[in-house]
């Protein structure tokens, strides 16, 4: 064991390096935000060079031999629990990065760039065959990537851990399978229900109207404009730091509820980021606990607040003022929760059927990576699963297996975190209510501070100190579980659809 | 001499490194643009870390031992003229950077940060004494900086070359002294003139009105919106690359001509950046030839186009439409060229008296650095020179020697490039007219392409290939000279003021 003085010096040098790595990564995020929100189209060639230079520097800092040496020294050192957590997180990232040959990183990056126009054309032409070789190449590259990290483990498990390092693919599979089996019956009953939910919207709503509406929604929920901003982007996202967490949204002329939901979703991501401890900026203690937990925060605010009846009791008047409508809180509530089992497109799915879209993708990508499914069979399998899970079969590949960009980017293993986040959101919601009492009254009164405080205290302030399940236990006193989500969904939707 | 194959390999490795250095610098510029234009106020602490990390990486890449070795190898190599120019420029930057100890770089950076609030308070309190020690420290640090780069040369010369590497401080001094001696008489005559120029503006003009006006001005002049954008910032600036060169402006409610002039000024900077060769992005061949040449492009468009009578023949109707005025082209022309000898503030000065403000600052900062002037004497010297050059004496330090931020930042040697740029703009204007014939007719017709083409062909496309005076010769066939500026100023203002 190193002496305390040595350890302190080593840990400080190590931490300086870690912070620098993090700052360079965050600088890259600023460039990406700018590219998607502000940059004129002609700027692409220069931006590609700038982003690539930062990304290479980040990789060099992460795989730096000195970092490996510091990690080895700190392995045997007497660290406090927070320091040990920092070392654990950095070691994980360092080890994954050094195991992947840089030529493979470059081949994946190049293949992604080349794949994008192929996917775009195949989707436009509605022809999966045009994309099949490209997908095959990406699957092979990702299998190679997984094998580089750990040749002895299930490659899908290794890829999944890129996005959700600690919950385990077995948990993911169990949760997703449970949801599939439980939700099919509920969705069937809704499809058979005679109930038609309200839709108070007619005609179109211009961008300025929707912008003012969602700004008010953000202010109502307590978004801190001194530490964030709202802009539009083709694909809404949130990015930033605990000092500056920005939200983007989009406006569909005939569907203002889409902008409201999407904005509140990204607000949820931003509140997580803003709740991370400022004093730990640049270290894992000031970083988010990966994608499932991040998505739990966005889904908490989107679904358990933004789609709740008390929220519309609070916000209906404001919404009517902006939209020129005269809808009741109940009508907004119904509009926000209408289920469309016949919808084919994931990003347009409701809160409930969304998960069937995810489960289908999870099963297909898992089987592709494990070699249990041939690329050529993807369209048929996709369409069969859609028929089985949602009772609707896509007529075209464009509305089927070509709809998402994720596999084109090589982001295989990402989809499950959407559903895991929703499941965790329901679990947190259950415990927020158990701890705070009449949460509906707080929402109805616009008194969101106790909810923000609960989430910050239980989740945000820990950063990445705990592994995911430990964080869930820290926050809720129980292990990660799908039970709360199933109970929530069953109660809410059987009531809405009288089924 | 190295073999050709060796040289090629060395040059390629060298150039990859140079490009990387440049991309990291440009990434830093994106962060700075964002900070000044988009970032919420709370983002400052994180942005400071990110910018500092990029700046340190940039410094490490610039002072890298390998870069020194490549430069040594390429010294003896058989390079073509463009390669030799790249090596010359990079060597200059590398050598200056390695000579300055990193602790001095840090001390200057820290002193600048600490100086800012002191200067702000001294200015607010109108008390130079509060700022004197801070200025003294900055002067000492800059003397130390100059001595580190070259202990055997005039320290002011060394500092001046930070901003204008090749024209030489002797040329600057000669030009500034000539302007001082020649313009004093003209300004006196204007002050004594009975002529009052038109001011067609009454009341206030809101931001949206002025925004629409300056957007139309940019479109009229041919700004390429696919490669740029316009935003507002407290201190207007332009930044970017040949792929994405952005402009910022500001709006004063009672003075729409300020926004027009300021926007066209920044447009001039952006046209230079956009005219740099795209294929050389990331190397000195794709970089600007420093501040005097950059300022010549902004001043060309601001003064020789935007303040010209034919421009207002073209643009008066549009301006009247936006502003709700009914002014003649002549009235706009007069308003754009009104001389205010009694104005005390540099950034509010007209085209003519502006240079007296610069000359005064040049003389004071030169004497401070050379040890010929004590910091304590700055306010008196400032006020005496104002009286001598412009016939007006500031009542306060806030409106005198505390008005500018430059010395607080340690930017000593920067001011002269403003005047050198204006002088070069007039020289270029003379030769544009000699080559293109009836330039007034082109401007009146809104046919700016031939002017853009001339400037791109003669100036922009060369990047930093030539040293400044060689570039001026390449562009105009003659050496850098103040004659054209003096003739232009005399003719224009004696005509306007009938004196």
């Amino acid at each position: 064991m190193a002496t305390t003085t040595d350890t302190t010096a080593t840990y400080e040098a190590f931490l300086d390096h870690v912070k620098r790595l993090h700052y360079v990564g965050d600088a890259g995020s600023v460039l990406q935000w700018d590219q998607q929100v502000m940059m004129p189209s002609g700027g692409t060639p220069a931006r590609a060079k700038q982003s690539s230079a930062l990304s290479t520097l980040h990789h060099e800092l992460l795989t730096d031999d000195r970092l490996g040496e510091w990690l080895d020294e700190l392995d045997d050192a007497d660290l406090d629990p927070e320091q040990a957590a920092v070392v654990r997180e950095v070691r994980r990232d360092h080890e994954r990065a050094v195991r992947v040959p840089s030529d493979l990183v470059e081949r994946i990056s190049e293949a992604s760039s080349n794949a994008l126009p192929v996917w775009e054309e195949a989707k436009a032409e509605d022809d999966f065959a045009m994309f099949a070789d490209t997908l095959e190449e990406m699957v092979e590259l990702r299998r190679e990537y997984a094998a580089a990290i750990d040749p002895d483990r299930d490659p899908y498990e290794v890829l999944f851990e890129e996005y959700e390092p600690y919950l385990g693919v077995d948990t993911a599979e169990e949760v997703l399978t449970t949801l599939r089996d439980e939700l099919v019956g509920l969705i069937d009953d809704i499809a058979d229900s005679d109930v038609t939910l309200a839709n108070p919207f007619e005609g179109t709503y211009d961008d300025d109207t929707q912008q003012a509406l969602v700004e008010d929604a953000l202010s109502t929920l307590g978004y801190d404009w001194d530490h964030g901003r709202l802009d539009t982007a083709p694909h809404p996202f949130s990015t930033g730091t605990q000092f500056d967490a920005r939200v983007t949204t989009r406006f569909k002329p005939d569907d203002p509820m889409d902008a409201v939901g999407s904005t509140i979703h990204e607000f949820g991501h931003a509140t997580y980021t803003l709740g991370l401890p400022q004093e730990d900026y640049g270290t894992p203690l000031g970083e988010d606990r990966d994608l499932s937990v991040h998505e739990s925060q966005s889904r908490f605010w989107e679904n358990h607040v933004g789609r709740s009846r008390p929220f519309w009791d609070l916000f209906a008047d404001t919404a009517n003022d902006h939209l020129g409508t005269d809808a009741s809180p109940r009508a907004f509530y119904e509009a926000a929760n209408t289920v469309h089992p016949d919808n084919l497109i994931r990003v347009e799915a409701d809160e409930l059927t969304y998960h069937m879209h995810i489960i289908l993708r999870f099963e297909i990508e898992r089987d592709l990576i494990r070699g249990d499914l041939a690329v050529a069979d993807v369209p048929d399998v996709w369409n069969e699963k859609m028929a089985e899970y949602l009772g609707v079969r896509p007529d075209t590949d464009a509305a089927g297996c070509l709809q998402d960009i994720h596999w084109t980017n090589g982001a295989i293993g990402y989809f499950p975190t959407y559903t895991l986040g929703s499941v965790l959101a329901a679990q947190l919601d259950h415990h927020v209510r158990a701890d705070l009492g009449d949460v509906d009254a707080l929402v109805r009164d616009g008194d969101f501070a106790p909810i923000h405080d609960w989430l910050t205290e239980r989740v945000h302030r820990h950063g990445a100190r705990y592994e995911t399940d430990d964080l869930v236990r820290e926050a809720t006193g129980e292990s990660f579980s799908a039970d709360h989500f199933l109970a929530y969904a069953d109660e809410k939707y059987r009531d809405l659809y009288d089924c």
Side-chain angles (χ1 to χ4, degrees), chain A:
Chain A
M1 187 181 288
T3 68
T4 307
T5 314
D6 282 354
T7 297
T8 303
T10 302
Y11 187 80
E12 278 177 10
F14 158 79
L15 204 64
D16 279 349
H17 187 91
V18 167
K19 286 180 179 173
R20 188 179 202 194
L21 173 69
H22 196 96
Y23 300 150
V24 172
D26 281 356
S29 298
V30 176
L31 266 60
Q32 281 174 22
W33 177 87
D34 181 83
Q35 180 161 9
Q36 292 183 62
V37 179
M38 293 293 161
M39 192 185 81
S41 59
T44 306
R47 183 55 49 85
K49 300 287 189 190
Q50 297 154 6
S51 291
S52 168
L54 293 193
S55 162
T56 303
L57 283 166
H58 187 270
H59 185 76
E60 287 175 6
L61 289 166
L62 183 57
T63 56
D64 195 317
D65 288 343
R66 287 175 307 167
L67 183 58
E69 288 159 19
W70 286 318
L71 285 165
D72 287 344
E73 282 182 53
L74 293 168
D75 235 358
D76 300 326
D78 189 19
L79 300 174
D80 69 33
E82 294 204 337
Q83 291 174 327
V86 170
V87 169
R88 178 195 70 220
E89 292 299 316
V90 175
R91 180 184 291 115
R92 182 180 175 279
D93 289 346
H94 172 72
E95 287 181 353
R96 283 179 78 98
V98 293
R99 284 175 188 166
V100 182
S102 52
D103 87 285
L104 177 57
V105 174
E106 274 167 38
R107 280 189 288 139
I108 290 174
S109 166
E110 201 179 333
S112 298
S113 300
N114 294 336
L116 186 65
V118 176
W119 169 71
E120 283 171 341
E121 201 184 336
K123 190 176 172 184
E125 299 282 324
D126 185 27
D127 183 359
F128 178 78
M130 291 169 64
F131 183 60
D133 286 350
T134 299
L135 180 56
E136 182 79 50
E137 184 191 7
M138 192 53 75
V139 168
E140 284 308 317
L141 284 168
R142 278 295 166 189
R143 289 166 60 95
E144 195 178 335
Y145 181 88
I149 291 171
D150 193 339
D152 301 325
R153 287 167 63 213
D154 166 27
Y156 186 74
E157 183 174 24
V158 173
L159 295 182
F160 172 72
E161 289 172 3
E162 191 91 359
Y163 309 103
E164 175 42 64
Y166 296 117
L167 267 185
V169 77
D170 291 346
T171 301
E173 189 155 6
E174 189 191 319
V175 166
L176 290 166
T177 305
T178 304
L179 257 62
R180 183 191 65 194
D181 297 344
E182 298 287 328
L183 294 182
V184 164
L186 176 58
I187 292 168
D188 271 354
D189 290 348
I190 290 170
D192 293 343
S193 157
D194 292 333
V195 173
T196 304
L197 298 188
N199 176 11
F201 308 113
E202 283 177 5
T204 60
Y205 303 88
D206 63 31
D207 285 2
D208 287 348
T209 298
Q210 297 201 42
Q211 172 89 25
L213 171 66
V214 298
E215 277 176 9
D216 265 0
L218 289 177
S219 295
T220 298
L221 294 171
Y223 187 51
D224 182 351
W225 296 101
D226 289 339
H227 291 272
R229 48 179 294 135
L230 173 71
D231 299 277
T232 56
H235 303 282
F237 67 104
S238 166
T239 188
T241 71
Q242 42 269 68
F243 295 92
D244 172 9
R246 304 179 185 185
V247 167
T248 64
T249 191
R250 66 175 166 197
F251 303 123
K252 295 184 178 176
D254 60 348
D255 187 6
M257 292 302 264
D258 179 79
V260 173
S262 170
T263 305
I264 297 179
H265 178 98
E266 301 306 334
F267 162 82
H269 282 302
T271 61
Y272 183 18
T273 306
L274 291 173
L276 297 168
Q278 294 192 341
E279 63 275 21
D280 293 313
Y281 175 57
T283 87
L285 300 174
E287 275 174 57
D288 61 270
R289 176 67 292 160
D290 300 286
L291 293 193
S292 301
V293 176
H294 229 311
E295 191 74 4
S296 78
Q297 301 305 296
S298 59
R299 293 297 184 184
F300 177 88
W301 288 97
E302 178 190 3
N303 294 337
H304 297 276
V305 177
R307 284 194 161 107
S308 74
R309 174 61 199 265
F311 176 74
W312 289 102
D313 287 337
L314 169 71
F315 198 63
D317 283 352
T318 306
N320 279 321
D321 284 350
H322 284 294
L323 300 172
T325 44
D326 183 26
S328 66
R330 171 77 193 184
F332 279 113
Y333 172 62
E334 292 190 9
N337 289 288
T338 306
V339 178
H340 301 284
D342 58 343
N343 164 59
L344 297 168
I345 307 299
R346 177 183 62 83
V347 296
E348 295 173 4
D350 52 85
E351 181 185 7
L352 208 53
T353 61
Y354 189 88
H355 300 293
M356 308 312 272
H357 293 273
I358 294 302
I359 289 159
L360 169 160
R361 284 156 178 75
F362 162 70
E363 292 171 342
I364 289 175
E365 68 180 18
R366 176 196 61 193
D367 294 349
L368 279 172
I369 291 292
R370 288 182 180 164
D372 296 337
L373 173 66
V375 163
D377 295 332
V378 166
D380 282 348
V381 171
W382 183 290
N383 295 348
E384 277 161 31
K385 284 180 188 287
M386 280 297 287
E388 186 184 343
Y389 302 159
L390 289 168
V392 59
R393 181 183 287 272
D395 287 335
T396 67
D397 294 338
C401 63
L402 286 175
Q403 68 182 263
D404 288 312
I405 198 174
H406 296 57
W407 293 340
T408 307
N409 288 340
I412 299 173
Y414 188 114
F415 281 122
T417 65
Y418 290 126
T419 289
L420 295 170
S422 297
V423 162
L424 179 54
Q427 184 170 356
L428 293 169
D429 181 57
H430 175 87
H431 289 278
V432 168
R433 287 171 190 277
D435 287 354
L436 295 184
D438 194 350
V439 169
D440 283 356
L442 293 174
V443 172
R444 208 175 289 117
D445 292 344
D447 184 11
F448 294 103
I451 303 173
H452 282 297
D453 290 348
W454 192 97
L455 290 167
T456 300
E457 173 70 19
R458 301 296 184 96
V459 180
H460 308 170
R461 76 180 172 95
H462 297 306
R465 173 170 176 179
Y466 299 109
E467 297 187 5
T468 311
D469 201 59
D470 291 338
L471 177 63
V472 174
R473 288 183 172 281
E474 191 73 25
T476 68
E478 59 174 355
S479 201
F480 184 87
S481 155
D483 295 346
H484 300 290
F485 177 80
L486 289 168
Y488 155 80
D490 204 70
E491 185 186 340
K492 175 173 169 181
Y493 286 97
R494 290 205 183 279
D495 176 66
L496 268 164
Y497 280 93
D498 195 19
C499 65

